[in-house]
Amino acid sequence: MSNCSVYFDRVVDDDTRRGELYQGHLFVYSRSPATGELIALGRELLNAAFAPHDPRTVHRHLSATQVADILGVMKPRFIHHPECKTLIRRILEERGLDLDRTYFDVPRMRTAYPSDFLSAGIAYAFHPHRDTWYSAPACQINWWIPIFEVESDNAMGFFPRYFSTGVSNSSSGYNYYAWNERRADAVKHVGADTRVQPRAQQQIERETIRVLPPPGGLILFSGAQLHETVANTTGVARYSIDFRTVNLDDVAARRGAANVDSQCTGTTMRDYLRATDLAHVPDEVVRLYDDGTERGATTLYFGDRLARGD
């Protein structure tokens, strides 16, 4: 089993922290002023979208189709809210990142309803996976923030024993550009999700680490970390916010976690925006990650363009 340390509010420079994350360790931080403002924004949008119902118990009052339709409008509204990118930049500053060298993707709001209600499409409950199976680079760092209280049975589960051990999986059939062409259809998948996604093709030992930060708390982990959406048996919905970062020096040097089993094609490198001015990663650096599948109209910048439907 891989050693996995969980660091709480550890004061360390970002170069050291990224190195630890690339080795499979987790960093957890208390709520900060900026994360507090971000979850307040999330709650404001959720309350407005589901009024007069409590977002955490809306599944008791509306159908799965009704909830999916509401999320289909509300989630892009959150992504493109004018405050979101400003607050992400402040969160990065609070954690001591060099904003000139840091690129982030647009923040998403995630939902995990009781598992017998809505777990497909726009509220997809992720099976055990690595983000690197979905064409993320080895240097990607994931940032995860709960909006409301989370419990062991509606949180995320991490499988650290597999961080340095390969898992038989179907990522060889996944291409990021092809996936982006179908991404806007997520709201159509309510009863079941028929989109082909990378999955483990072996039995996964179910022992997980579940970290439960308070609302506005923060978990940082490598995109190569095997993790899942825990089946929600609590009776209340879980809402969270996540985004991802890469450091330009690590991108250019191809530094990051070891690739033990990812075989997908395409790259998410065109999604990231520089924290200072929202510029994309320079083309000459992106080309280091191109594999020949980026030709033609299938090369999409997800970020804002696709989420708006442009």
Side-chain angles (χ1 to χ4, degrees):
M1 179 173 178
S2 299
N3 292 323
C4 176
S5 297
V6 182
Y7 297 109
F8 291 91
D9 288 330
R10 186 184 184 196
V11 179
V12 65
D13 65 87
D14 187 53
D15 288 344
T16 300
R17 179 172 52 214
R18 294 197 316 277
E20 294 286 325
L21 290 164
Y22 296 156
Q23 295 300 312
H25 304 300
L26 307 177
F27 282 73
V28 183
Y29 293 97
S30 302
R31 175 172 173 159
S32 69
T35 61
E37 289 187 44
L38 186 61
I39 66 166
L41 173 62
R43 289 183 181 186
E44 176 185 337
L45 294 179
L46 284 165
N47 288 331
F50 289 118
H53 308 298
D54 184 331
R56 291 166 291 183
T57 56
V58 69
H59 55 282
R60 301 175 189 171
H61 307 282
L62 302 179
S63 70
T65 298
Q66 288 173 311
V67 170
D69 288 343
I70 292 170
L71 294 176
V73 174
M74 190 275 297
K75 285 191 173 185
R77 184 173 295 159
F78 171 78
I79 289 173
H80 302 295
H81 193 284
E83 289 298 311
C84 264
K85 294 185 180 70
T86 298
L87 290 172
I88 296 300
R89 183 181 296 115
R90 285 180 50 199
I91 292 170
L92 299 178
E93 286 182 310
E94 288 175 340
R95 299 275 66 87
L97 277 71
D98 182 343
L99 300 189
D100 280 324
R101 314 301 291 173
T102 300
Y103 291 69
F104 66 93
D105 69 354
V106 294
R108 278 86 162 181
M109 186 183 292
R110 309 290 187 181
T111 49
Y113 292 96
S115 49
D116 60 351
F117 178 73
L118 178 62
S119 59
I122 199 162
Y124 190 74
F126 276 94
H127 48 271
H129 70 285
R130 309 183 201 272
D131 282 20
T132 51
W133 292 356
Y134 289 78
S135 306
C139 59
Q140 178 180 287
I141 303 301
N142 293 16
W143 302 60
W144 189 87
I145 304 167
I147 297 177
F148 299 103
E149 293 283 349
V150 289
E151 302 176 39
S152 180
D153 290 332
N154 69 1
M156 276 196 304
F158 295 95
F159 299 85
R161 65 159 294 135
Y162 294 104
F163 188 79
S164 56
T165 300
V167 171
S168 177
N169 68 84
S170 60
S171 63
S172 61
Y174 181 87
N175 176 267
Y176 186 59
Y177 311 127
W179 171 261
N180 269 345
E181 290 184 314
R182 301 186 301 272
R183 196 166 192 164
D185 292 336
V187 71
K188 300 176 183 178
H189 298 263
V190 178
D193 201 316
T194 59
R195 296 172 296 172
V196 177
Q197 303 197 39
R199 289 181 175 271
Q201 295 184 312
Q202 67 174 67
Q203 189 70 29
I204 301 294
E205 293 187 20
R206 301 305 305 169
E207 182 178 354
T208 60
I209 289 178
R210 302 179 186 183
V211 182
L212 309 176
L218 174 63
I219 305 175
L220 269 64
F221 60 98
S222 166
Q225 191 75 250
L226 192 71
H227 62 290
E228 70 172 354
T229 303
V230 173
N232 187 346
T233 60
T234 65
V236 296
R238 184 261 283 171
Y239 297 91
S240 59
I241 296 166
D242 64 64
F243 61 94
R244 302 159 182 81
T245 59
V246 295
N247 175 275
L248 186 62
D249 297 323
D250 290 351
V251 172
R254 302 297 297 263
R255 281 192 293 266
N259 179 8
V260 295
D261 58 19
S262 299
Q263 304 172 60
C264 49
T265 55
T267 178
T268 61
M269 197 57 70
R270 292 176 173 83
D271 291 355
Y272 305 106
L273 307 171
R274 186 161 56 196
T276 51
D277 59 5
L278 305 183
H280 287 281
V281 175
D283 287 342
E284 63 273 17
V285 178
V286 172
R287 282 195 291 271
L288 298 172
Y289 292 79
D290 283 341
D291 55 15
T293 64
E294 69 282 352
R295 294 186 296 271
T298 59
T299 305
L300 300 178
Y301 291 79
F302 173 64
D304 291 345
R305 190 180 116 197
L306 189 63
R308 286 199 307 266
D310 295 354

